[in-house]
Amino acid sequence: MNILEWSFLSGVLTATAPVLLAALGGLICQVAGVFNIALEGQLLWGAFTAVVVSDLTGSAWAGVAGAAVATLLFAGLLSAAAVSLRADPIVVAVGLNLLALGLTAFLMRQIFGSGGTYTSPDLAGLPTLAELGLDVPVLGPQSPLVPVALLLVVAAAWWLGRTRSGLRARGVGQHAEAAAAVGLRVGGYRHGVTLAAGVLCGLAGAQLALGNVTLFSEGMSAGRGWIAVVAVMLSGVRPYRLLLACLLFGIAEAVGFRLQGAGLPQQAADAAPYVITLVALVLAAVAGRRRRENA
Amino acid sequence: MTEPPAAFAAELVGVSKRFGPVLANDGIDLAVARGEVHAVVGENGAGKSTLMSILYGLHRPDAGHVLRAGRRVRLRSPADAIRHGLGMVHQRFRLFPGLTVAENIVIGAEPVRGGRLDHTAAHRAVTALADRYGLRADPSALVGDLPVGVRQRVEILRALYRQAEVLILDEPTAVLTPGEADRLFEVLRTVAATGVAILLVTHKLTEVLAASDQVTVLRQGRVTGRFTTAGTDAGELVHAMIGRSLTPPAPRRARPPEGDPALDVRDLTVRDADGVARLSGVSFTVRPGEIVGIAGVAGSGQRELIDSVTGLRGGTDGVLLDGTPVRPGRDPRVAYIPEDRHGRATAPDMSLAENLLMGGQRTLATRFGLPRAAVRSRGRELVERFAINTASVDLPIAALSGGNAQKAVLARELTRPSRVIVAEEPTQGVDVGVRERVHALLIAARDQGAAVLLQSSELAELRELADRILVLFEGRTVAEFGPDAAEAELGQAMTGVRG
Ligand SMILES: Nc1ncnc2c1ncn2[C@@H]1O[C@H](COP(=O)(O)OP(=O)(O)OP(=O)(O)O)[C@@H](O)[C@H]1O
Ligand SMILES: [Mg+2]
């Protein structure tokens, strides 16, 4: 394989990682019966807080940790409203998505003094694995969060299938009344997955703003959180299928990038990954249903 | 401190519980000893489920308390109850359809090895339990794929797996065939013999007399009788339950059925998605003023037959209503009393008044919408006419007791201008008083010229009501009997034994 193709694969992984991290958050929520459509807002919030902390401390890892904590707190709004107060999670999530958009734009002006895009030499990006001494093809140019995301897919599958809490979470998601009747604390599991999804979205945001690029721009999540929601719904809550769905988006984005290099207008290149992903995911879902109906 | 030897396994003392205006439990005392099967009976809405839910930590009593082995315990959740050795099989199943049988049984107390679920140990434990009590269930089957009888076993196995010392069963036989019910009672006997105290809620007095040691009767939230089973009989229990004796069944039909068939099923064949015939060449007619009963073991084609007759399976030339083919969807010419009370028959979260109107909304609609006042006043009228026991017509129908929800379904369906009535297990889970009423309503409808198709797993009910009984076996009508057929004869035909 030549260097061009390696770099294409590498681009695919880069584009996949943030979507995948957010989608894993959505997946564990779905498992326990929380329909979490606040991924987009949390991703954006994660990206913003990662940049702020990294800029203040000069440490990318502090940025990652800051994003994880800040997004955990942000997700706490969702879990408090939707789980404790039993508000409609969809309504709350829509509110949070709007809040993230407005709040990041506002705070950006407060902290960095201007809107639009912020970048600075003080802003530390995540190191690549190559810089850390692991110079292998494809993964070399990635941040350490990329292999972490891939490993988390395996971990999620293991958690769901092999652990006690995974089984219980599935039970809570399938039939909350029955879960309560066998003595499970339904609310506890739902808080847990919602908050964990916050952490994952924080990581996703950090990867987006400090790994894929080293900057923050308004609305930079650009629909990736929604792609993650779609991927969760079409994955049938199976982690490996979720990975495939997210990879599809990564491929589409990498292709779009190439096409732009080959002279496709930028708007078309920007839109391409979303269009391709949605069409492919829906076709896959339709094909899957056909297969099941014929079986 | 040693526990007093005479202590009951579980005791409810002076328990009261109010739901809004309804006093569901009013100072109830109930005690069950180790090794005893204690039946709790009472009309629909008498407060049986509420009382059992209090014992299982699902509801907190407004007054009174619970003793377990002589000591006072506080049950704030099912988790507390489970810790104190209580187990419950719920009236409406509490199972996880997407989990396997083994997972459903062990969840909450899973065997773990080295931080991971021990699937092998779970399967072994489930198999061992299943063998020990003769409750067969494949540990790796998905619960969602299982028939109700097996699901019930899973619920019981779950309680046994948790080593419940007090086992509560809330109407466990409502969904079982007579054979399965007998089997269940044998199991309960075996379990009780190991020292487990069993509380059995049921409506069926024959079951009470056959399976229990003690009986407590509830009526409108109070205890109205305590009996030792050996020293009582059905008449005495009924009297304590409904405060009067049952009137003897209405005399058989006054006039013979007449005229052209209102329902004509001709050579009806139904295949499932795999192309397997679930009904093959079924033909029969129901004339106005006639009740035709359908008997058969579960899954013999009853579901397909009823769905075809009501049009729910789509239009077909095999079913003629007054000479014209049934219309797809829900044919308005058929009144239908479905078995699945909170799925097909009602919209559980909508109000009683709305549920009573469904399907008849056009009669009340104006050009601008559906006037609420009219909906509610019609609701109140039906509540009155059909003696539905409820605090208000605005309550969601799911909050009504099972029997009252069933009366509501009947009220709605029997007031439709339909000449054909399809009733599916119309007295499932309802008390003797309601049962009597439901039967009277069906007979009255027949006498007014309705053609009634009655499917029931209770042979006694078919023999009491039907003018003719058709037996389905593997999708075919294998026999037809008159109302005075012996149960043994019917039973043989139902299992495919030709007489
Ligand atoms: N969650 C609730 N909210 C409001 N009312 C309720 C609730 N649960 C029960 N009730 C009312 O309390 C009364 C007792 O109900 P319960 O379910 O205990 O009766 P039951 O004896 O189990 O009847 P059935 O034989 O029909 O199951 C009924 O009038 C019912 O409408
Ligand atoms: Mg009940």
Side-chain angles (χ1 to χ4, degrees), chain A residues 158 161-164 167-168 170-172 174-175 177-184 295, chain B residues 56 78-79 82 90 94-99 103 107-108 110 112 116-117 119 158 162:
Chain A
W158 192 80
R162 298 296 171 86
T163 69
R164 184 155 77 173
L167 174 65
R168 292 179 176 187
R170 282 191 284 151
V172 166
Q174 279 183 24
H175 195 329
E177 260 190 7
V182 294
L184 305 184
Chain B
Y56 193 61
I82 292 167
H90 301 268
R94 306 250 159 121
L95 293 172
F96 306 100
L99 301 185
E103 286 170 334
I107 189 169
E110 308 84 347
V112 178
R116 18 182 287 183
L117 269 182
H119 282 290
R158 178 195 276 169
R162 293 286 190 96

Side-chain angles (χ1 to χ4, degrees), chain B residues 63-130:
Chain B
H65 58 266
V66 175
L67 301 178
R68 168 84 178 87
R71 290 200 196 99
R72 189 161 166 175
V73 290
R74 293 192 65 183
L75 305 171
R76 271 160 303 194
S77 67
D80 287 345
I82 292 167
R83 222 177 20 253
H84 284 109
L86 297 152
M88 179 154 176
V89 174
H90 301 268
Q91 186 169 6
R92 284 198 239 158
F93 290 157
R94 306 250 159 121
L95 293 172
F96 306 100
L99 301 185
T100 66
V101 167
E103 286 170 334
N104 263 283
I105 290 171
V106 300
I107 189 169
E110 308 84 347
V112 178
R113 214 177 54 196
R116 18 182 287 183
L117 269 182
D118 192 343
H119 282 290
T120 339
H123 277 228
R124 221 179 313 116
V126 168
T127 315
L129 264 185

Side-chain angles (χ1 to χ4, degrees), chain A residues 35-38 42 74-83 85-100 194:
Chain A
F35 186 41
N36 189 341
I37 59 161
Q42 296 181 64
F74 194 78
L77 297 176
L78 178 61
S79 96
V83 183
L85 305 177
R86 291 167 194 246
D88 184 338
I90 308 263
V91 174
V92 178
V94 168
L96 288 179
N97 285 332
L98 293 173
L99 175 69
T194 312

